[in-house]
Amino acid sequence: MTTRIFKGLVAASYTPMHEDESIAPEVIAPLVDYAVRQRFAGLFAIGSTGEFPSLTMQERKTVAEVYIREAAGRIPVIVNVGSCSFRESAELAAHAAAAGADAICAIAPFYFRPETVRDLAEFIKRIAPACDGRPLYLYHAPGITGVNLPMSEFVKIMLDEVPNFAGIKFTNENLCEFERCAALGKNRIQMMFGRDEMLLGALAMGAQAGVGTTFNYLPKIYRGVIDAFEAGEMEKARSFMELSHRAVAISARYGLASIKVFMKFAGIDAGPMRSPVGRLSAEQENRFRRELSLAGLDGYIG
């Protein structure tokens, strides 16, 4: 298996919704076109930003098909097939592979959680054959799943036992563990960093790519971080990172629903998030937008 090396910003993609919270596949085309214009390194479809736990299996298949079809080879698509059922994940993986996904990702089961690294590895190993040789990543997000096992031990097992293991989408603050995993994998796997507001630290630890929600609506900021880092201009890189921190802090005050509202400010309305996530009122949206403006972020949105 030849693992594609992602370099730069991989956008965590939305699942667009109508007002009644049914999926809106017709909005995926403008989202993909926007991603191509922004020169993103890839799309990470149906992950946390894509509300995967709130979707039915058929909805997930539909969204994956449309993202892959609209990308049409212009931008690679990674499809998250994570589920607490390895059988469901395997079915989704087989579907994504048949539809033409460039890579597949599976999250650790988050209800009955694996207690050991071996338990987690055996769960992911059961999904691997369904990928039809496509690269398979683990989605490591212990803040969401509650599964915080040593990833370096997981990498050792997967390198030995799973030929199409491609790496980890690492959404965690432990940069030491991130670097250990990258060193173990060397040129065989890729570690992609998933904590947007810590991108600069991950670059210093060897990351070549990040996967993030806020990349969608603040690409200029994160491209500025990468460009400044590569030029050795650390003060400039830190100044861009501070803008990210401002944006993330403001968004956090308005809750999870704000990530789609932020995208609307960037020019594409992906609709509301599905229940149980609430909605911002018109007044809250206006206040949110004013706060972003007062924070000096106007020139960086979209």
Side-chain angles (χ1 to χ4, degrees):
M1 182 199 73
T2 301
T3 298
R4 175 192 291 270
I5 300 300
F6 293 89
K7 294 185 178 180
L9 307 176
V10 176
S13 302
Y14 297 94
T15 295
M17 303 273 180
H18 298 117
E19 277 301 303
D20 65 359
E21 297 177 23
S22 61
I23 62 171
E26 68 277 8
V27 182
I28 291 175
L31 285 168
V32 173
D33 289 343
Y34 172 86
V36 171
R37 290 197 305 273
Q38 294 293 346
R39 307 188 313 282
F40 289 139
L43 294 172
F44 187 87
I46 323 170
S48 300
T49 303
E51 304 175 69
F52 80 92
S54 303
L55 305 181
T56 67
M57 179 176 276
Q58 185 53 55
E59 287 173 328
R60 292 178 71 171
K61 289 180 178 180
T62 298
V63 173
E65 288 169 6
V66 178
Y67 264 109
I68 293 164
R69 185 186 73 222
E70 295 299 333
R74 296 179 295 160
I75 184 170
V77 179
I78 306 168
V79 176
N80 171 48
V81 301
S83 168
C84 289
S85 162
F86 74 82
R87 293 185 185 276
E88 185 170 87
S89 284
E91 181 177 336
L92 289 166
H95 173 269
D102 294 276
I104 291 164
C105 189
I107 200 165
F110 45 85
Y111 189 86
F112 295 123
R113 302 183 185 100
E115 296 179 351
T116 68
V117 173
R118 173 52 71 178
D119 290 340
L120 175 60
E122 290 300 322
F123 181 89
I124 300 299
K125 281 173 65 177
R126 294 183 179 205
I127 301 165
C131 299
D132 192 28
R134 298 292 200 288
L136 173 63
Y137 292 84
L138 173 71
Y139 185 173
H140 177 56
I144 296 171
T145 64
V147 179
N148 197 10
L149 297 166
M151 286 296 100
S152 53
E153 295 303 312
F154 175 81
V155 166
K156 290 176 186 176
I157 293 172
M158 299 298 281
L159 284 171
D160 286 343
E161 301 178 18
V162 182
N164 62 321
F165 175 61
I168 300 177
K169 177 187 181 292
F170 194 95
T171 305
N172 185 247
E173 297 81 7
N174 190 339
L175 289 173
C176 293
E177 184 74 349
F178 178 89
E179 192 277 334
R180 278 195 293 269
C181 292
L184 281 167
K186 296 181 181 176
N187 297 324
R188 292 179 59 191
I189 65 170
Q190 183 173 21
M191 299 291 295
M192 293 192 285
F193 193 68
R195 187 67 81 196
D196 306 17
E197 61 273 31
M198 291 182 65
L199 178 62
L200 181 56
L203 293 173
M205 297 301 258
Q208 294 176 291
V211 182
T213 303
T214 63
F215 300 169
N216 285 291
Y217 36 82
L218 297 169
K220 296 174 188 175
I221 287 177
Y222 296 102
R223 196 163 286 117
V225 171
I226 293 172
D227 290 347
F229 174 80
E230 291 180 346
E233 299 174 347
M234 293 304 295
E235 191 61 38
K236 186 176 181 180
R238 284 193 292 269
S239 69
F240 275 113
M241 209 71 258
E242 197 274 328
L243 290 170
S244 162
H245 298 162
R246 286 187 219 172
V248 169
I250 294 169
S251 186
R253 288 202 291 272
Y254 288 89
L256 193 54
S258 68
I259 66 172
K260 275 188 168 175
V261 175
F262 218 143
M263 193 63 205
K264 183 163 69 172
F265 298 156
I268 300 178
D269 189 349
M273 294 191 74
R274 182 171 282 181
S275 179
V277 179
R279 303 189 188 195
L280 300 187
S281 67
E283 180 183 348
Q284 286 174 314
E285 283 194 21
N286 290 335
R287 190 162 65 246
F288 179 27
R289 188 66 187 83
R290 286 196 300 272
E291 286 195 39
L292 294 171
S293 184
L294 289 171
L297 294 165
D298 282 346
Y300 299 99
I301 299 174

